[in-house]
Amino acid sequence: FICGATARMPVHSLIFINPAGSVIYSKYFQDTATSDYRLFFEQQLFKQTSPTWNRVSSVPSTVSIADVHVVYQTIGDMIVFASGTDDVDESILIEVLATIEKVLLDVLDQKSISEAQFLIPDNYGKFVISVDDMMSQGIIETFDAGLIGKLSKLKPL
């Protein structure tokens, strides 16, 4: 378990987009993230990062939007953005993305990750549960993908 994030310093959001730039998964961990705020944040995020989408790789890239740190990279054929505030900095977010990739490989039961496999309802549901087990309310509980998988398998879809 990790104490890298506290109640005052949570993960801000986790956003997946497909190659066309459509959001296929988003989770905001702060209760104050209204739909207007989410739209504004995503517009700013996409404005700053979309010029690089065709060059994004599995090597993390970083950007800041106001006081929010963002790390993004490809995972399979998707671009995944992890963002945090305060002490949840780029190094922690890189670890979040690495764990997300391991969790996806476990959930999809595949050697590779694809949007099509991710969007299968059972896989999507298992992933949503896994994210909650990994970082409940944005507070990072663990980076152990094996533990996340075990915890997630105990819960019905």
Side-chain angles (χ1 to χ4, degrees), residues 2-54:
I2 181 168
C3 296
T6 67
R8 197 175 80 63
M9 298 167 270
V11 173
H12 175 271
S13 59
L14 187 62
I15 301 169
F16 287 37
I17 64 169
N18 65 14
S22 299
V23 175
I24 56 176
Y25 173 84
S26 70
K27 173 129 180 142
Y28 287 79
F29 296 98
Q30 298 169 342
D31 293 335
T32 57
T34 64
S35 59
D36 287 341
Y37 172 79
R38 292 174 189 202
L39 179 62
F40 171 78
F41 180 78
E42 289 174 16
Q43 286 173 337
Q44 293 303 308
L45 178 66
F46 297 166
K47 181 180 177 183
Q48 287 191 35
T49 62
S50 62
T52 66
W53 289 353
N54 62 346

Side-chain angles (χ1 to χ4, degrees), residues 104-113 117 123:
L104 281 169
L105 286 167
D106 182 48
V107 165
L108 302 181
D109 199 26
Q110 302 283 321
K111 291 183 180 181
S112 63
I113 299 166
Q117 287 292 315
N123 291 343

Side-chain angles (χ1 to χ4, degrees), residues 24-89:
I24 56 176
Y25 173 84
S26 70
K27 173 129 180 142
Y28 287 79
F29 296 98
Q30 298 169 342
D31 293 335
T32 57
T34 64
S35 59
D36 287 341
Y37 172 79
R38 292 174 189 202
L39 179 62
F40 171 78
F41 180 78
E42 289 174 16
Q43 286 173 337
Q44 293 303 308
L45 178 66
F46 297 166
K47 181 180 177 183
Q48 287 191 35
T49 62
S50 62
T52 66
W53 289 353
N54 62 346
R55 297 186 308 274
V56 174
S57 69
S58 59
V59 176
S61 298
T62 63
V63 67
S64 290
I65 299 171
D67 61 345
V68 179
H69 314 288
V70 181
V71 174
Y72 61 105
Q73 70 180 61
T74 57
I75 296 180
D77 60 352
M78 302 174 285
I79 300 175
V80 180
F81 301 87
S83 60
T85 56
D86 298 317
D87 285 346
V88 179
D89 62 10

